[in-house]
Amino acid sequence: MASRPLLYLDVDGPLNPYAANPNRRPEGYETHRMLPPSWIAQREGMGRVKPLRVWLNPTHGPALLTLADRFDLVWATTWEHDANTYIGPNIGLPELPVVEWQTTERFGPDGTFFKTAELVEHAAGRPFVWVDDDITERDRRYVERHHPAAALLRFVDPAVGLDGDDFEAIGAFGASIAAAA
């Protein structure tokens, strides 16, 4: 259904609370060591590449899947297709569509995060939720000016990751879109 809202998922921050105390894995998370090809390519010529430490909470996949009755889930991460290989299977998500970034330069138009304008373009007028740890007021203003449908830009603390409040806010947004349809 074309009018279903999109739920754009970032990995680092929302699903992998990378900024948590590095000596203490967050409660409920499991440690994974990963060597995705994109990570290796970024470090070409730097000698031995150490695996990434990624913390993932196995309850996030089922919680996100409960939202899939109201949202189309989409990876919106610099992991791009690697998210389907390394992240999704570890939290119980099926293969998801992926936003392929045209650029990963730090800033986009009007000082926004590089993802902002591309997500507005990708959404093509559909309502959306975007969970990320790089969302600012500039991004919110940009989306308000350039996106004709409802949008929820949900900042997720990269030291905490997605929590119950985030899932509640996403669910409430989805319910409001369904009620308005």
Side-chain angles (χ1 to χ4, degrees), residues 74-97:
V74 179
W75 290 119
T77 173
T78 56
W79 285 71
E80 290 189 341
H81 293 280
D82 286 340
N84 278 320
T85 303
Y86 293 91
I87 305 302
N90 282 300
I91 61 173
L93 289 179
E95 188 166 316
L96 301 176

Side-chain angles (χ1 to χ4, degrees), residues 143-166:
V143 170
E144 286 173 9
R145 285 193 311 269
H146 298 281
H147 186 64
L152 172 64
L153 279 63
R154 184 76 181 180
F155 172 82
V156 177
D157 184 338
V160 176
L162 284 171
D163 64 19
D165 290 342
D166 297 313

Side-chain angles (χ1 to χ4, degrees), residues 54-100:
V54 179
W55 286 325
L56 297 173
N57 187 326
T59 66
H60 282 162
L64 289 164
L65 288 175
T66 65
L67 296 169
D69 64 338
R70 292 205 169 133
F71 292 93
D72 291 335
L73 306 179
V74 179
W75 290 119
T77 173
T78 56
W79 285 71
E80 290 189 341
H81 293 280
D82 286 340
N84 278 320
T85 303
Y86 293 91
I87 305 302
N90 282 300
I91 61 173
L93 289 179
E95 188 166 316
L96 301 176
V98 175
V99 175
E100 295 177 345

